[in-house]
Amino acid sequence: MNFLELLNKPELIVAHRGANSLSPENTLNALKKSIGRADFIEIDTQLSKDGIAIIMHDDTLLRTTNVSQLSEFDSKKPYRVCDFTFEELKRLDYGSWFYTDNSKAEPLLTLHDALIFIKENNLFLNLEIKDISYAFSDNEVVEKIVKEINDIQCSDRVLVSSFRHEYLKIIKTKLHIPTAALAEDSHPKELLSYLRGLGVDGYCLNDELVDKKSVEMLREAGFFVGVYTVNSTLRSHVLFEMGVNFIFSDSLYKDKQ
């Protein structure tokens, strides 16, 4: 089964940033805890200063690492990810902020290792490319991501999404892989024509933006629809009744197999 075949199944649950209520988000442990609890996993990728694809949501390291506790990095405030080399990023702890006893450290997760884990465990992955156009050219970002996917030979198990839609248009010229445009505050004008122009397979939108008419229009036009971030069981039922294909959740996990 490839990713597009998976998306034909109803009422899919996506582990948002991995099982992030059980382990620190975007870490290998969050991926491990997702097994049996979700239909596929969503994680975020961006580049280090020297162009290594790593797994990280925020554009700074403050929230999910111990960077502010290390005086050696004081000169790098406000701690933008793109200002740190891969070797510097590896010196940080990505886990103790999450645990109440502040004792468990987590290592940096690279895209390379995340893709290997997905392939070895027969999982499916929604890879969101963060908008890092302020630091790297669009082509450079896409080429790095495509190389990692090609190296691991896992394109049948990956869906690429982004708020920076330019990435999605470029990636379709380089790789046969499903893509999805992300939207937060408003729909692009002439939505269906816009999505067709990007060549995407799906559209993922903020729960506050979704309505039944739009979902029906998108589904009838052949696009898959995902909604983020949904942590209410009641709301998930409403969205699935609308025809939404999948929801991203921090807590609505399936029973572990």
Side-chain angles (χ1 to χ4, degrees):
M1 180 170 61
N2 62 35
F3 212 120
L4 289 177
E5 290 170 335
L6 171 68
L7 291 177
N8 280 312
K9 294 186 175 184
E11 302 187 5
L12 298 171
I13 303 293
V14 188
H16 186 227
R17 305 179 198 171
N20 74 76
S21 64
L22 304 175
S23 287
E25 66 181 60
N26 282 325
T27 62
L28 184 58
N29 269 331
L31 270 63
K32 290 178 178 178
K33 291 286 180 66
S34 302
I35 297 177
R37 292 187 167 101
D39 296 291
F40 60 98
I41 302 167
E42 184 266 355
I43 57 175
D44 308 279
T45 191
Q46 54 185 300
L47 302 182
S48 65
K49 182 178 181 179
D50 45 348
I52 305 299
I54 61 145
I55 306 305
M56 168 68 63
H57 177 271
D58 296 4
D59 59 359
T60 76
L61 296 158
L62 271 173
R63 183 176 63 88
T64 58
T65 79
N66 64 335
V67 67
S68 64
Q69 300 169 29
L70 303 179
S71 58
E72 63 186 291
F73 295 128
D74 283 349
S75 64
K76 288 184 173 288
K77 293 178 182 179
Y79 307 119
R80 295 195 311 170
V81 176
C82 65
D83 291 332
F84 285 70
T85 66
F86 180 58
E87 289 301 319
E88 289 171 334
L89 290 170
K90 287 200 299 183
R91 299 213 293 269
L92 303 177
D93 161 37
Y94 295 79
S96 59
W97 65 273
F98 176 87
Y99 300 105
T100 54
D101 60 5
N102 205 39
S103 64
K104 298 179 183 178
E106 297 279 0
L108 172 68
L109 178 60
T110 63
L111 176 56
H112 181 84
D113 288 345
L115 293 175
I116 288 176
F117 179 82
I118 292 299
K119 185 173 182 179
E120 289 180 344
N121 289 278
N122 296 317
L123 303 174
F124 291 90
L125 181 70
N126 176 186
L127 182 64
E128 179 186 336
I129 307 176
K130 304 306 293 184
D131 182 355
I132 49 175
S133 55
Y134 53 83
F136 302 92
S137 72
D138 292 344
N139 279 319
E140 181 179 6
V141 173
V142 171
E143 285 172 2
K144 297 284 187 182
I145 304 306
V146 167
K147 183 179 186 305
E148 296 285 3
I149 295 171
N150 281 335
D151 285 350
I152 307 302
Q153 298 182 353
C154 59
S155 60
D156 59 330
R157 296 193 165 270
V158 178
L159 163 72
V160 174
S161 63
S162 186
F163 284 101
R164 184 158 179 82
H165 300 162
E166 289 85 350
Y167 295 155
L168 306 176
K169 198 166 186 177
I170 297 170
I171 206 167
K172 280 291 192 180
T173 68
K174 299 177 179 293
L175 196 62
H176 183 64
I177 196 169
T179 58
L182 298 178
E184 184 169 14
D185 300 317
S186 61
H187 299 296
K189 294 180 179 179
E190 302 294 333
L191 179 59
L192 295 183
S193 296
Y194 180 80
L195 295 176
R196 290 185 183 114
L198 292 176
V200 297
D201 305 276
Y203 186 58
C204 301
L205 62 159
N206 191 328
D207 189 19
E208 297 178 0
L209 192 58
V210 68
D211 63 80
K212 185 175 182 179
K213 183 178 179 181
S214 295
V215 172
E216 289 177 346
M217 177 185 70
L218 287 158
R219 294 301 311 282
E220 288 174 3
F223 295 103
F224 295 106
V225 179
V227 176
Y228 65 91
T229 304
V230 183
N231 294 318
S232 160
T233 301
L234 178 60
R235 180 58 177 165
S236 71
H237 292 328
V238 171
L239 291 168
F240 288 138
E241 283 294 318
M242 284 185 193
V244 168
N245 298 93
F246 51 94
I247 61 165
F248 301 86
S249 183
D250 301 314
S251 58
L252 298 183
Y253 305 128
K254 296 174 177 284
D255 293 332
K256 188 173 175 62
Q257 303 297 314

